Amino acid sequence: MANSRAKEILLDFVSLFFPRPCLACGDSLVKGEDVICTTCMLEMPQTEYHIDRGNPLQNRLSYRIPIKYAMAIFKFNKSGRVQHLLHEFKYKNHPEIGIVLGRVYAAKLIEINLNNAFDMIIPVPLHPLRKRKRGYNQSAKFAEGLSEKLNIPFSDDLMIRKMSTETQTRKTKLNRWENMSGVFGLNKPQIIQGKRILLVDDVITTGSTVEACAHVLLNEGCPELSIACIAEA
Ligand SMILES: [Zn+2]
C-alpha cells in the first residue's frame, strides 16, 4: 500500500541520520534488524536447552521441583553481550528487548512443536513498587513476546508478589529459601486448574525465585509446569 511504502521510506530516511544501536553491542542496526544485531544473535552463547531434556538447568531444578521442561535462551556471562543486553533490559527502559527475545525464542519452540506443550504462560511477578519504578515487569515482557508468537495466552496479574525481598546475594542458601517462601501468591487459582503452565523469568541464578513460584502453582492445581528464562547464570 502506498501509505505503508511512504512510511517505510520515511523510516529509512530517519535511520540514515539517527541509526538505532544494537542493545547488546552498541553497533548501528541495519535495515531488517530489530533491537539486536545479527552478529550478536549469532555470537551470544545460546544454550539450545529446548532440544535437550537432560540439560543442566533441567537437572538442577528437577532436584527441587517436578518440572517438564526447563529452558534458557542464553548462558549468562559477566561482561559479555548477554550481560549488557540484560542490563539495558532491566535498568535502561527497554521493554522491547523482552518482547523481541520472546518472539525469537517462540520461533525456535515452534520448530520442534513445543507450542503445543503449554496452555498458559505466567511471568514471575515483580513487587508493585519495583514495577512502578521500572515501568514494566521484565519477565512479563518476555512472556508477552512468547505469547504473541506461540499463540498461547499469558497472564500478568494472576501471580502476585506479596513482599519485596531484599538483595539476596549475601544470604546462605537456606536463608534464601526461607526468605522466598510466602513471597508469592495466586489470584483466582481456578484459572490455572488443569493448565500446563510455562513459568517465565528473565534470569535464573540460584533458582530459588522460580522454585517458590512453582510451589505455589503446583500446590494450587497446575498439573504440569515448565520453566523458561532469557539467561541462565
Ligand atoms: Zn550487536
Side-chain angles (χ1 to χ4, degrees):
M1 291 221 287
N3 204 7
S4 64
R5 180 78 189 119
K7 194 177 161 196
E8 198 184 319
I9 290 169
L10 181 66
L11 285 175
D12 280 353
F13 187 73
V14 169
S15 68
L16 200 62
F17 295 99
F18 304 101
R20 292 165 308 140
C22 163
L23 294 177
C25 71
D27 285 354
S28 296
L29 293 173
V30 299
K31 202 181 167 185
E33 292 178 342
D34 194 15
V35 180
I36 303 163
C37 77
T38 312
T39 310
C40 283
M41 271 324 255
L42 289 171
E43 291 186 1
M44 285 194 292
Q46 302 198 31
T47 69
E48 308 297 342
Y49 285 171
H50 61 295
I51 51 170
D52 175 13
R53 287 291 301 283
N55 70 64
L57 183 64
Q58 180 117 28
N59 289 339
R60 109 181 134 92
L61 293 176
S62 293
Y63 273 113
R64 291 135 66 176
I65 24 172
I67 41 169
K68 178 90 178 184
Y69 300 98
M71 302 170 280
I73 311 180
F74 304 114
K75 187 80 196 151
F76 184 88
N77 53 347
K78 270 199 169 140
S79 80
R81 296 177 212 231
V82 176
Q83 194 269 343
H84 187 255
L85 185 67
L86 286 166
H87 185 81
E88 293 286 316
F89 185 32
K90 278 178 97 154
Y91 304 111
K92 300 291 170 98
N93 193 28
H94 284 297
E96 70 274 24
I97 292 173
I99 296 175
V100 165
L101 289 175
R103 287 185 197 140
V104 167
Y105 204 53
K108 292 187 145 221
L109 301 186
I110 289 168
E111 276 173 24
I112 54 164
N113 286 323
L114 273 187
N115 48 320
N116 299 314
F118 320 110
D119 303 309
M120 182 173 232
I121 302 171
I122 294 186
V124 168
L126 203 60
H127 190 269
L129 285 177
R130 179 89 60 93
K131 188 175 169 185
R132 202 173 310 146
K133 202 170 158 200
R134 187 170 297 159
Y136 53 94
N137 172 0
Q138 70 278 8
S139 300
K141 290 295 159 188
F142 181 44
E144 188 181 327
L146 284 166
S147 165
E148 185 190 301
K149 186 104 182 172
L150 293 172
N151 206 15
I152 297 170
F154 87 101
S155 174
D156 190 13
D157 52 13
L158 267 186
M159 281 213 96
I160 46 169
R161 194 170 194 129
K162 292 188 268 186
M163 36 187 142
S164 173
T165 42
E166 44 181 326
T167 183
Q168 313 248 316
T169 40
R170 262 173 277 123
K171 291 185 190 303
T172 67
K173 223 168 185 174
L174 182 67
N175 283 341
R176 230 182 269 132
W177 190 84
E178 283 175 341
N179 202 37
M180 292 311 291
S181 68
V183 168
F184 299 101
L186 199 59
N187 281 321
K188 302 183 195 154
Q190 66 273 21
I191 293 181
I192 66 156
Q193 302 308 307
K195 300 247 167 63
R196 298 166 302 163
I197 291 173
L198 178 63
L199 174 68
V200 305
D201 203 357
D202 56 345
V203 182
I204 293 181
T205 310
T206 63
S208 56
T209 305
V210 286
E211 184 183 357
C213 290
H215 279 303
V216 172
L217 292 166
L218 292 165
N219 288 338
E220 297 279 358
C222 163
E224 187 184 291
L225 188 82
S226 298
I227 288 170
C229 65
I230 293 175
E232 181 202 19

